[in-house]
Amino acid sequence: MPKRIQFSRNGGPEVLEFVDHDPGQPGPGEVLVRHAAIGVNFIDIYYRTGLYAAPSLPSGLGLEAAGTVEAVGEGVTGFAPGDRVGAAFGPLGTYAQLQRIPATKLVKLPDGVSFDAAAASMLKGLTVQYLFRQIRELKAGDTVLFHAAAGGVGLIACQWARVLGVRLIGTAGGPEKCELARKAGAAEVIDYRGEDVVKRVLELTDGKKVATVYDGVGKDTWAISLDCAAPRGLVVSFGNASGPVDGVNLGILAAKGSLFVTRPTLGTYAATPEQVEPSSAELFGLIASGAIVPDVSRRYPLADAGEAQTALASRVTTGSLLLVP
């Protein structure tokens, strides 16, 4: 019997259950996928804890995976058994050996992209794609600040910035993480454990600050992000690794220099195949060329999903974590 991770109530890692689960044959418009590698992301923790609401309980978990098509349902075109595919757009349930997924939520993997690379980069890489290419299209010579530059999203962002000729100033905790971000392509890295981030940004920009701040950390870095944005600059708050930002007084944006703020999600920028296809093609092209190399720092058996999430939540990991079905 195939296995999956599910949860029947919200809470800590202890609510995760490793259970038998037969997804059945694909229905109309669906594809049955056998996962080969599964990505672990902060959004999975948000669903587990209840910060984001699952459609119903008990629920599967996970949004990112790569594997092989086992069967296709009625009306499905463009996919066939044996095709290599990746998923990052739902529904919940990638923490599983087998999953039924709507065909509209899948993309084919090119030959130059391995299962591990896809599972380590689809959600994170497509996040960077919309951050850098859609919210505000970055140009060579731009200077930006990117928090958690040694994390899974951050390391892809560092590499993508280098491709674009963007000067990325990263933040990371500790010398090892700072060096990792620097090697990935960050022009400068600030160790937030021992340095004043705002002061260093002022020094590195000759007092001008940056036009765009990318903040996937949330509560702990919100005030810092506002102080690092130049007048009429943009703060992109795209994650809640330290907890959600709440109690925002809009008057602060005026006081800090008529700032702009957005709280985007990948689901909005990758809602349809027409949106997903060019974004994923750009990401996969960079991976296949070697310009972006997804960093897989740790692999865990599927049954140890709770341990993987605990490691991710500790914010001591670097790169991407994978589950092996």
Side-chain angles (χ1 to χ4, degrees):
M1 176 72 72
K3 298 280 191 178
R4 80 166 182 174
I5 294 289
Q6 68 176 32
F7 62 108
S8 300
R9 58 188 174 89
N10 297 121
E14 71 279 356
V15 305
L16 299 182
E17 307 165 317
F18 188 53
V19 300
D20 292 337
H21 178 73
D22 184 356
Q25 290 301 302
E30 292 182 330
V31 174
L32 181 65
V33 178
R34 181 173 295 276
H35 293 146
I38 301 161
V40 180
N41 298 283
F42 274 102
I43 194 171
D44 308 338
I45 297 173
Y46 305 157
Y47 277 110
R48 188 203 74 211
T49 61
L51 179 62
Y52 293 175
S56 62
L57 296 176
S59 173
L61 191 61
L63 293 168
E64 183 179 43
T68 305
V69 173
E70 290 269 303
V72 299
E74 180 183 353
V76 171
T77 59
F79 296 100
D83 284 347
R84 301 168 65 254
V85 294
F89 317 106
L92 290 176
T94 57
Y95 283 24
Q97 294 172 336
L98 287 170
Q99 184 187 13
R100 288 187 358 240
I101 304 175
T104 55
K105 300 295 186 179
L106 291 172
V107 296
K108 283 188 177 180
L109 301 181
D111 292 339
V113 178
S114 69
F115 288 136
D116 277 10
S121 70
M122 275 198 63
L123 193 150
K124 303 170 190 68
L126 292 175
T127 295
V128 176
Q129 198 280 340
Y130 84 73
L131 291 177
F132 284 8
R133 309 291 281 160
Q134 297 187 61
I135 287 180
R136 173 177 283 180
E137 187 172 3
L138 297 183
K139 307 290 187 183
D142 287 344
T143 299
V144 303
L145 178 67
F146 205 103
H147 289 297
V153 176
L155 289 177
I156 293 175
C158 290
Q159 295 175 77
W160 210 315
R162 179 166 56 192
V163 170
L164 295 174
V166 169
R167 183 191 183 204
L168 185 147
I169 301 171
T171 69
E176 183 180 348
K177 284 191 173 185
C178 288
E179 183 59 22
L180 193 62
R182 193 173 289 109
K183 286 182 177 179
E188 308 282 351
V189 187
I190 302 167
D191 185 347
Y192 65 78
R193 291 181 180 172
E195 298 182 272
D196 183 318
V197 174
V198 177
K199 180 180 178 182
R200 285 292 292 141
V201 167
L202 285 168
E203 292 171 351
L204 292 169
T205 60
D206 296 325
K208 297 177 182 178
K209 305 184 182 181
V210 299
T212 311
V213 180
Y214 298 99
D215 189 342
V217 177
K219 180 178 66 175
D220 288 355
T221 49
W222 170 248
I224 293 171
S225 294
L226 296 181
D227 284 338
C228 289
R232 294 192 293 175
L234 172 65
V235 176
V236 184
S237 178
F238 67 94
N240 314 291
S242 66
V245 175
D246 55 19
V248 177
N249 177 356
L250 290 180
I252 292 176
L253 303 182
K256 298 291 184 181
S258 300
L259 302 182
F260 295 85
V261 173
T262 184
R263 179 56 177 93
T265 67
L266 177 59
T268 306
Y269 285 85
T272 67
E274 291 74 22
Q275 292 173 317
V276 170
E277 288 173 7
S279 300
S280 59
E282 184 176 15
L283 171 65
F284 292 152
L286 291 172
I287 293 173
S289 72
I292 288 179
V293 179
D295 177 65
V296 179
S297 61
R298 300 186 194 179
R299 294 174 175 81
Y300 297 82
L302 178 59
D304 294 339
E307 182 181 343
Q309 289 193 352
T310 298
L312 182 65
S314 71
R315 294 174 61 192
V316 299
T317 62
T318 60
S320 299
L321 308 183
L322 295 184
L323 299 177
V324 181

